[in-house]
């Protein structure tokens, strides 16, 4: 199949997005939409686009921060959630699990967490109805804000889960070097006891030790896992336990964590039998959405279309959907024709 046809096929392929940050999904167009509502002098699209420009990892974090600072009311979270799901639907995504950074909300105390979650839930319900895409939340804590700060996020999440069944998990992100996973052992255990699934960003900007740490405290999925390739023993454990890896190829390139496209281990991991999933992380910041990631894997890493189907099946398999929903969606992936 030539490239345009492959893209059409990949768009129709039912798939799940498992590593996407709600705040990182906000496009310049959505910023303008919010600004028209919030600001006396609204942003132009041209000015909005400038906010997304960065030179290196540090200025990427600053531009990410600048976008989140433009979320000025809790209601804005309804809009960004709705728009995120709308954009996912256009790529053939049927189910998504998005990180929502309660860590940032609590730390900067600009907006009330309960009001934000209620708004995001309104956006989720409305979008699910309009686009037929299911969405579950994974609450994100920022590890380098310290254990005490993270403990607040964990207890708030346990409380919110009682009210919102769509909150299914909790994860830790941020600077791995300044917040090693082993420090979170007790918080993870408590979250597990509270019925929350556990994920962990690990091996994105630091070595394989960080991934070992994540596995040892019970992380069910690993975000990035880029540095697993440096440790054959770890590769063996990941393969044996079939721990799902939420890979983000374009993100790793754009942040400089992976220096060259062809140095990315996605194909090697797949061939070594690891549980690989493709994801987009923060699409408008990296210039690639999930469909682009699928196309890139097919075109540049020469995954056959049958292998692409396998990656889509992995994404459903590794999701936190209820078993019956998982089976139904897996059936659709298998039956998807040419
Ligand atoms: Zn991430």
């Amino acid at each position: 199949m030539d490239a345009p046809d492959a893209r059409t096929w990949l768009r129709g392929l039912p798939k799940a997005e498992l590593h996407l940050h709600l705040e990182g999904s906000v496009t310049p167009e959505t910023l303008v939409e919010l600004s028209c509502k919030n600001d006396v002098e609204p942003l132009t699209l041209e000015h909005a686009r400038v906010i997304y420009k960065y030179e290196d990892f540090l200025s990427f974090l600053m531009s990410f921060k600048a976008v989140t600072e433009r979320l000025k009311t809790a209601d804005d979270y309804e809009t960004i959630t709705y728009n995120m799901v709308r954009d996912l639907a256009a790529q053939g995504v049927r189910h998504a699990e998005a990180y929502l950074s309660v860590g940032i909300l609590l730390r900067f105390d600009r907006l009330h967490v309960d009001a934000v979650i209620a708004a995001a839930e309104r956006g989720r319900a409305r979008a699910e109805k309009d686009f037929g895409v299911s969405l579950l939340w994974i609450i994100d804590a920022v590890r380098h804000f310290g254990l005490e700060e993270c403990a607040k996020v964990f207890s708030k999440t346990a409380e919110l889960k009682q009210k919102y069944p769509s909150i299914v998990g909790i994860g830790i992100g941020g600077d791995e070097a300044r917040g090693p996973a082993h420090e979170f052992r007790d918080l993870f255990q408590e979250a597990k006891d509270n019925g929350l699934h556990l994920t962990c960003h690990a091996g994105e900007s630091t070595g394989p030790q960080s991934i070992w740490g994540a596995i040892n405290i019970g992380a069910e999925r690993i975000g990035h896992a880029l540095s697993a390739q440096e440790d054959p023993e770890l590769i063996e454990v990941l393969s044996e336990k079939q721990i799902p890896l939420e890979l983000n190829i374009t993100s790793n390139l754009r942040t400089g964590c992976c220096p060259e496209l062809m140095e990315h281990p996605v194909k090697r991991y797949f061939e070594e039998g690891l549980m690989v999933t493709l994801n987009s992380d923060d699409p408008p910041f990296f210039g690639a959405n999930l469909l682009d990631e699928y196309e890139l894997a097919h075109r540049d890493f020469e995954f056959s279309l049958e292998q692409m189907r396998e990656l889509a099946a992995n994404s459903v398999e590794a999701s936190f959907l209820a078993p019956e929903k998982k089976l139904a969606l897996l059936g659709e992936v298998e039956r998807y024709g040419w």
Side-chain angles (χ1 to χ4, degrees):
M1 234 185 258
D2 54 26
D5 283 337
R7 188 170 171 92
T8 304
W9 190 84
L10 291 168
R11 177 180 283 118
L13 178 66
K15 51 194 161 303
E17 161 82 86
L18 304 179
H19 190 121
L20 172 68
H21 297 266
L22 171 66
E23 303 83 351
S25 77
V26 180
T27 61
E29 288 78 7
T30 297
L31 275 194
V32 171
E33 182 183 344
L34 297 176
S35 181
C36 287
K37 185 169 60 88
N38 294 335
D39 303 324
V40 183
E41 246 180 82
L43 263 182
T44 63
L45 188 55
E46 200 187 348
H47 280 114
R49 286 196 174 121
V50 173
I51 304 176
Y52 292 77
K53 292 201 190 317
Y54 56 90
E55 303 290 324
D56 50 23
F57 192 62
L58 213 64
S59 59
F60 157 68
L61 292 178
M62 309 237 307
S63 92
F64 191 93
K65 189 163 176 273
V67 169
T68 52
E69 279 168 358
R70 294 215 139 256
L71 305 174
K72 294 183 180 167
T73 71
D75 284 347
D76 289 351
Y77 281 77
E78 177 176 348
T79 307
I80 65 173
T81 301
Y82 184 86
N83 290 1
M84 174 181 77
V85 175
R86 179 200 61 200
D87 296 349
L88 289 169
Q91 302 160 47
V93 173
R94 303 289 305 280
H95 171 69
E97 296 177 4
Y99 288 102
L100 196 161
S101 187
V102 168
I104 302 259
L105 287 171
L106 286 178
R107 170 80 161 195
F108 298 105
D109 203 23
R110 284 191 310 116
L111 299 171
H112 199 275
V113 175
D114 297 75
V116 165
I117 301 290
E121 273 291 282
R122 287 196 300 276
R124 183 191 63 77
R126 202 153 55 81
E128 202 164 310
K129 193 161 147 273
D130 288 357
F131 307 111
V133 177
S134 54
L135 172 65
L136 296 173
W137 299 111
I138 301 174
I139 302 301
D140 206 13
V142 183
R143 56 212 298 168
H144 61 262
F145 289 169
L147 214 52
E148 206 177 307
E149 194 80 23
C150 288
K152 288 185 207 158
V153 180
F154 276 69
S155 67
K156 187 71 198 172
T157 303
E159 177 200 318
L160 288 165
K161 192 196 175 345
Q162 304 300 317
K163 190 167 172 192
Y164 301 109
S166 59
I167 296 178
V168 293
I170 189 155
I172 50 174
D175 188 348
E176 297 169 56
R178 284 185 290 153
H182 66 84
E183 293 179 1
F184 293 83
R185 183 184 299 276
D186 293 346
L187 285 179
F188 262 45
Q189 185 58 50
E190 213 177 298
K192 190 181 175 190
D193 295 343
N194 284 320
L196 287 159
H197 287 290
L198 308 170
T199 73
C200 193
H201 281 64
E204 177 184 15
S205 56
T206 60
Q209 208 49 43
S210 177
I211 303 168
W212 283 112
I215 297 172
N216 289 338
I217 62 168
E220 295 167 67
R221 291 200 313 236
I222 308 290
H224 295 285
L226 193 56
S227 61
Q229 57 180 327
E230 297 163 21
D231 185 341
E233 201 188 326
L234 176 58
I235 293 285
E236 232 168 83
V237 170
L238 290 171
S239 163
E240 196 182 303
K241 293 186 190 268
Q242 287 293 290
I243 298 175
L245 308 179
E246 307 160 357
L247 301 187
N248 304 278
I249 305 171
T250 306
S251 159
N252 295 155
L253 281 174
R254 295 291 307 275
T255 57
C257 292
C258 177
E260 284 286 339
L261 177 62
M262 293 324 287
E263 283 179 34
H264 198 282
V266 58
K267 194 65 183 284
R268 207 172 329 152
Y269 286 179
F270 183 82
E271 283 168 350
E272 282 168 355
L274 306 194
M275 179 57 159
V276 169
T277 68
L278 300 181
N279 303 279
S280 67
D281 212 5
D282 307 301
F285 289 89
F286 302 136
N289 61 26
L290 189 64
L291 179 57
D292 297 324
E293 297 291 325
Y294 270 63
E295 196 181 16
L296 178 151
H298 170 62
R299 184 189 58 228
D300 295 328
F301 289 94
E302 297 178 345
F303 281 85
S304 69
L305 292 179
E306 261 325 298
Q307 288 173 326
M308 295 309 300
R309 188 199 298 276
E310 215 176 306
L311 289 172
N314 283 356
S315 71
V316 175
E317 187 76 58
S319 75
F320 297 139
L321 274 171
E324 66 279 7
K325 288 191 180 163
K326 212 183 254 194
L327 271 179
L329 193 46
L330 275 174
E332 286 189 49
V333 177
E334 275 161 30
R335 288 191 302 273
Y336 180 60
W338 302 101

